[in-house]
Amino acid sequence: MLDFPTWKKMWLWGLTLIACFTAMPSLFSAANIRWPDALPEPTVNLGLDLAGGSHILLEANPSQVAAQRLENMEESVRTTMRNAEPRIRIGDVSTAGGQLSFILDNVGDLDRARELLLPQINGDGLTREWDLTVQDGQRMVLTPTDDGIEQAVTDAMDSATEVVRRRIDALGTREPTIIRQGDTRIVVQVPGLQDPDQLKDLLGQTAKLEFKLVCRNALPTDVQAGIAPIGCEIFPYSETSDTPGMFEAVQRLGGIRGDSLTNAQAGISQDTNEDVVNIQFDPQGGARFAQLSTENVGQRFAIILDGEVISSPFFREPILGGSAQISGGFTAETANQLAISLNSGALPVDLKVIEERTVGPDLGADSIRKGLLAMLIGSVAVIALMIATYGRFGVYATIALFFNVLIILGIMAVLNTTLTLPGIAGFVLTIGAAVDANVLINERIREERKRGRRVVAAVENGYKEASRAIYDANITNFIAGVLLFLFGSGPVRGFAVVLIVGLFTSVFTAVVLTRMWVAGWLRKARPSDLNL
């Protein structure tokens, strides 16, 4: 137990010093001292309660999900019936009342149509998404089920949360907190961001991109009056387009959606020297775009972003490369924001900011000062008590405590974790846990001496027997920390991270390092008694 060969000492000291070195950039940053650029710079990020930042609460409208599902089902039904062999002809298609209904031209196709629709209405087989009924022997009615709508809303919110996370990460901010709240809300906290306007603009943009053909038979006067031909719908032109305030009629179904994109990048048009966004489709989307452009050469198509037409150019020739260019009065900043939004994916549902708070850095600085003051007072009191009670062994415990704090900071910096105010509380708790381990060891050594054991045997048995109780206690705390991390969120998880890391470092410093130092002292001084 007290045998430490040279290689083991070098290994333990090397591991300790490396961990302490990784804590230096964070300490330099806290002291406003510049860290050398040539050296690695792992740092601990400060949470919203310490660094200040922006807090935004977003809310979605679930009715949009139901409307989108109805439109998708209509397009799917039309495609399925059109591609059937032989083709099944339908008419009088209606989406009134949140239901999709249509009449079969030939009643003899009823069984075949029902069989073709069964895979679509059953969804994944776990949740029945649609109810299929037949009215008057010829009209088929598809009604969305409550379970299907609930599952669709859940999937949409999960997808929206992930899209929000990708967009914020693209801004280069560190350690945002993005969590679901209830069924239709998302909480976004970004430490260090004092101006939330850019964040709100980015999150408020749905980035729903569509390419749809312009209706050929639409009269301009009717379109401006809000009258669209059958099978068409009207969209306004955006304020940044060439014709703001005007409207365009496009085909309601068909076209290509932005979910086929694989890449979007802001750039400059070589022809017009204006800011544009270059997009690239996946193979399937590229094939559909090539087919759409080939079949409609000479016809206009509308590029629709979030329900507004940003441009309506002509297909002058087939576009076969799977790439396209979006223009529409962009600036360099708006083009870059649109590229970020398109790359992160379209939000499946609009998100509205219903609450906004900005936490100033002064409050965080005050929290840091008070937290560090509490840790300093507690540490000084503990150190004084340990040295007064255990002498040399108390000094070893104090040095181990110092290394423990540095190692925790170093590990958190390497893991790029975020330190919150509860995290500082976790620091204070780990200090107590580390000292508690040394108290158990020293008291056990004292008991062994009272039983008449020699110095070396007393120290060896003291570490051996006390380690069992230390490991048991830390395993229990570790389980509690893991549960807090898995089921908690935000500051609770920050506390759990510091607690878990501190459990490992306290055992390492309080048990392993102090035992190495005590063994070296015993071998060198060979004392006849211990001042315990």
Side-chain angles (χ1 to χ4, degrees):
M1 290 288 291
L2 295 180
D3 183 24
F4 283 86
T6 303
W7 70 266
K8 193 172 184 179
K9 292 180 181 179
M10 294 179 63
W11 162 251
L12 293 177
W13 272 114
L15 190 64
T16 301
L17 294 178
I18 290 175
C20 292
F21 175 78
T22 58
M24 291 299 107
S26 299
L27 297 178
F28 272 55
S29 177
N32 293 322
I33 301 176
R34 181 177 176 82
W35 180 256
D37 296 332
L39 297 178
E41 192 177 357
T43 54
V44 176
N45 303 308
L46 299 181
L48 187 68
D49 53 355
L50 297 180
S54 297
H55 168 102
I56 292 178
L57 180 61
L58 304 168
E59 186 174 44
N61 183 3
S63 62
Q64 286 186 327
V65 179
Q68 185 63 55
R69 290 180 75 239
L70 199 62
E71 180 180 330
N72 292 342
M73 178 56 77
E74 180 185 355
E75 187 168 351
S76 177
V77 167
R78 290 181 181 274
T79 302
T80 301
M81 299 305 166
R82 185 171 55 249
N83 295 336
E85 292 293 341
R87 179 177 180 177
I88 300 176
R89 297 187 178 277
I90 63 175
D92 193 20
V93 181
S94 172
T95 57
Q99 297 176 322
L100 172 63
S101 65
F102 56 91
I103 292 179
L104 298 173
D105 289 356
N106 184 0
V107 70
D109 292 330
L110 180 62
D111 292 336
R112 194 156 59 97
R114 181 188 287 110
E115 184 178 352
L116 289 173
L117 292 177
L118 281 178
Q120 300 179 41
I121 66 177
N122 288 330
D124 57 8
L126 300 177
T127 303
R128 186 175 182 83
E129 298 183 359
W130 300 82
D131 287 330
L132 175 61
T133 58
V134 179
Q135 297 177 358
D136 302 328
Q138 201 168 353
R139 176 175 288 275
M140 304 189 75
V141 181
L142 291 170
T143 305
T145 64
D146 292 338
D147 290 340
I149 293 178
E150 182 180 349
Q151 184 62 44
V153 171
T154 300
D155 293 342
M157 291 305 299
D158 289 341
S159 177
T161 303
E162 185 58 32
V163 170
V164 168
R165 179 175 287 106
R166 288 198 296 265
R167 291 186 184 182
I168 293 177
D169 289 342
L171 286 176
T173 55
R174 288 187 173 184
E175 294 298 321
T177 299
I178 305 168
I179 56 175
R180 286 272 304 274
Q181 185 181 85
D183 294 332
T184 59
R185 293 182 175 183
I186 301 174
V187 175
V188 179
Q189 294 180 342
V190 184
L193 183 65
Q194 301 302 321
D195 183 8
D197 288 340
Q198 181 185 11
L199 181 63
K200 288 193 298 182
D201 292 342
L202 191 60
L203 298 182
Q205 187 177 43
T206 309
K208 182 181 179 182
L209 182 67
E210 297 176 289
F211 297 83
K212 292 191 174 185
L213 292 174
V214 174
C215 291
R216 298 181 180 181
N217 58 341
L219 297 177
T221 54
D222 290 344
V223 172
Q224 302 311 312
I227 303 174
I230 297 176
C232 298
E233 57 184 337
I234 297 177
F235 289 96
Y237 276 88
S238 69
E239 292 297 325
T240 59
S241 66
D242 295 333
T243 55
M246 303 296 288
F247 297 87
E248 190 67 82
V250 300
Q251 295 183 6
R252 189 167 61 87
L253 300 179
I256 302 173
R257 292 178 179 170
D259 51 11
S260 299
L261 296 181
T262 58
N263 185 43
Q265 189 173 5
I268 303 293
S269 173
Q270 296 181 353
D271 298 329
T272 62
N273 201 33
E274 63 177 341
D275 291 287
V276 296
V277 178
N278 299 303
I279 59 176
Q280 180 71 41
F281 291 99
D282 60 21
Q284 293 78 14
R288 290 199 300 270
F289 196 67
Q291 181 182 1
L292 185 69
S293 60
T294 301
E295 295 175 351
N296 297 277
V297 172
Q299 184 175 347
R300 284 193 305 131
F301 69 100
I303 302 176
I304 304 171
L305 177 66
D306 290 347
E308 294 183 338
V309 179
I310 57 177
S311 63
S312 54
F314 286 89
F315 280 126
R316 302 193 182 279
E317 60 184 12
I319 302 176
L320 306 178
S323 60
Q325 193 175 83
I326 304 174
S327 60
F330 296 121
T331 64
E333 182 179 357
T334 57
N336 184 61
Q337 283 191 356
L338 177 58
I340 291 175
S341 299
L342 294 176
N343 280 325
S344 62
L347 287 169
V349 61
D350 292 342
L351 295 176
K352 179 181 179 182
V353 178
I354 62 173
E355 181 184 340
E356 173 189 345
R357 296 201 307 267
T358 300
V359 181
D362 294 339
L363 180 61
D366 184 61
S367 299
I368 293 175
R369 285 194 299 270
K370 291 181 179 179
L372 292 178
L373 180 62
M375 188 166 63
L376 179 62
I377 294 175
S379 299
V380 170
V382 168
I383 290 171
L385 179 62
M386 289 295 292
I387 294 177
T389 305
Y390 301 111
R392 174 182 289 273
F393 285 75
V395 173
Y396 291 150
T398 299
I399 299 174
L401 196 63
F402 172 75
F403 280 118
N404 183 43
V405 173
L406 291 181
I407 294 174
I408 292 175
L409 280 176
I411 293 177
M412 291 183 64
V414 171
L415 296 178
N416 198 31
T417 56
T418 299
L419 180 63
T420 61
L421 191 58
I424 295 179
F427 259 108
V428 177
L429 185 61
T430 55
I431 290 175
V435 172
D436 181 64
N438 285 117
V439 170
L440 290 174
I441 293 171
N442 294 337
E443 289 297 327
R444 187 69 186 187
I445 294 174
R446 181 180 290 175
E447 291 179 4
E448 294 294 326
R449 284 293 293 158
K450 289 181 179 180
R451 293 176 181 176
R453 292 187 182 274
R454 295 174 178 248
V455 171
V456 174
V459 172
E460 185 170 0
N461 284 346
Y463 272 97
K464 180 179 179 180
E465 297 300 328
S467 295
R468 297 176 182 175
I470 294 171
Y471 292 143
D472 289 343
N474 281 278
I475 289 174
T476 303
N477 289 332
F478 175 76
I479 295 174
V482 170
L483 293 177
L484 286 174
F485 182 82
L486 292 177
F487 298 104
S489 62
V492 175
R493 299 189 76 177
F495 173 81
V497 168
V498 178
L499 177 63
I500 293 172
V501 173
L503 291 176
F504 286 98
T505 59
S506 63
V507 170
F508 175 75
T509 56
V511 179
V512 180
L513 289 185
T514 59
R515 187 171 60 193
M516 179 179 67
W517 299 333
V518 170
W521 173 67
L522 290 177
R523 186 175 294 107
K524 181 178 180 180
R526 298 185 180 277
S528 57
D529 197 4
L530 297 174
N531 184 21
L532 283 175

